[in-house]
Amino acid sequence: MSDTPAPVTPSRSLFIAGAGVLLLSIPFFAFGLGFLDTKARVEFSCQEGGPCTLVRAGWLTREAPVTFRLKQMTEARVDRRRSSREGENIYRPVLVTPQGDFPLAAHWMEKERQAQAPVISVNRFLEAGGLPAFSMWHDDRMRASRVGMLFTGTAVVVFLLGVGLTWRAVRRRGQERARGPEVSTG
């Protein structure tokens, strides 16, 4: 057994490590919160006789609503395209206006029947001259925010590690002060 004490990390080194780890958590928080706020909830509602509003929302914020008068809406249709992975068709409901096409769902769907349901509702509303009022929504926020949850979870773990290192540095600094200045002999 040796008489030499175990090496002790000085408080200054612990402070530097703690600060570095705390700074490392910032980009994880930024990207995590950004991905969590992906606008994957689409709400479309029409009052009797119009107007209709389209709102996209994430977990943290909502976009300003887009309002359409009854005369501005041409139709609703299902857009189709080939999936890059399986080569099969994927579908998305879209509101067609002279200003452009506005998706009624944030992501493409694998089943045409699922994409067709909102299209039928909107076209019935338009054919009936804006009667009766209706509201619908498509919420894909859970699917869209998986990456955000991973980044945010990592940010919390890294942040807690940084706080732990900083706390150890504060305690070590107190121990160093209690011992007093060390005199080196050389």
Side-chain angles (χ1 to χ4, degrees), residues 98-109:
Q99 294 85 17
D101 297 349
F102 294 87
L104 296 174
H107 296 288
W108 292 82
M109 302 169 190

Side-chain angles (χ1 to χ4, degrees), residues 53-183:
T53 57
L54 180 70
V55 178
R56 294 175 41 148
W59 289 110
L60 307 174
T61 62
R62 301 170 70 83
E63 288 180 352
V66 180
T67 304
F68 305 99
R69 293 189 315 272
L70 193 57
K71 295 175 186 175
Q72 290 178 301
M73 296 180 287
T74 309
E75 68 172 340
R77 71 166 190 264
V78 175
D79 278 351
R80 292 169 177 79
R81 76 174 194 193
R82 290 253 183 230
S83 169
S84 60
R85 286 182 277 157
E86 295 90 27
E88 297 179 8
N89 285 335
I90 51 177
Y91 311 92
R92 183 161 64 175
V94 174
L95 176 66
V96 180
T97 71
Q99 294 85 17
D101 297 349
F102 294 87
L104 296 174
H107 296 288
W108 292 82
M109 302 169 190
E110 294 177 4
K111 297 184 178 29
E112 185 175 14
R113 180 178 288 178
Q114 185 183 9
Q116 195 71 309
V119 169
I120 291 169
S121 297
V122 171
N123 285 334
R124 280 186 187 158
F125 175 77
L126 294 173
E127 289 168 5
L131 297 171
F134 78 99
S135 178
M136 67 174 136
W137 53 270
H138 184 81
D139 196 348
D140 249 348
R141 290 180 295 182
M142 284 302 291
R143 184 175 129 191
S145 60
R146 288 182 195 146
V147 173
M149 287 184 241
L150 288 172
F151 269 94
T152 304
T154 302
V156 168
V157 169
V158 171
F159 179 78
L160 292 175
L161 177 64
V163 168
L165 284 171
T166 305
W167 177 249
R168 281 183 55 198
V170 168
R171 286 188 16 225
R172 181 73 42 82
R173 181 69 177 154
Q175 292 169 354
E176 289 171 356
R177 284 189 177 172
R179 272 189 270 144
E182 293 185 15
V183 179

